Amino acid sequence: MVISAVGIFVAFAAIDLPRPWHFVVMALGMVLYAGVGIVCEHRASVRRKATRQEALFHGGLLACIMVAFGIGRIAAFALFDLPPQGLLSQAAAGAFVAAVAYVAATPVNRSIMKSIVQHGGGAL
């Protein structure tokens, strides 16, 4: 979970980097975030297909993470007057807020996923 949060932070903090590094660092962060999920699924003792509800939940989770990033970035500008570029920028502050929100919501996310799996939603 912490490695996923680091991946989220790296991906969102890369938004303000110059052109060639923007894509490279953002891709690295997203690969780190998605890679943890893939490794966990690969190590699972039970193989099952994803359901529609799981896909919708994960899409909604990513949307909530992006909203947290936007709120953090706007707050960094409005409250702390952080610059739009640099190491301590608005994107870095927003990325930190998104990563913390992801970690803080993990217990709720796990209970929702447990409920979806137990009820066995519709297949993709």
Side-chain angles (χ1 to χ4, degrees):
M1 172 188 61
V2 174
I3 296 172
S4 292
V6 169
I8 290 170
F9 176 80
V10 167
F12 283 129
I15 287 177
D16 290 337
L17 292 177
R19 237 347 130 164
W21 295 107
H22 166 77
F23 176 75
V24 172
V25 176
M26 183 176 272
L28 177 69
M30 284 297 153
V31 165
L32 190 61
Y33 172 71
V36 169
I38 292 169
V39 168
C40 287
E41 286 294 321
H42 181 69
R43 289 183 179 174
S45 60
V46 176
R47 306 271 187 238
R48 47 184 273 315
K49 292 187 178 194
T51 64
R52 260 185 238 124
Q53 284 84 4
E54 290 176 42
L56 287 173
F57 172 73
H58 288 298
L61 178 62
L62 287 174
C64 290
I65 291 170
M66 292 176 75
V67 167
F69 169 73
I71 290 171
R73 187 171 181 151
I74 291 169
F77 170 72
L79 299 176
F80 305 114
D81 197 29
L82 290 179
Q85 294 180 346
L87 185 60
L88 184 59
S89 65
Q90 297 166 8
F96 178 75
V97 169
V100 168
Y102 174 76
V103 171
T106 297
V108 174
N109 295 339
R110 286 184 179 168
S111 67
I112 291 171
M113 278 303 297
K114 182 178 178 181
S115 174
I116 290 171
V117 169
Q118 286 176 346
H119 289 90
L124 281 174

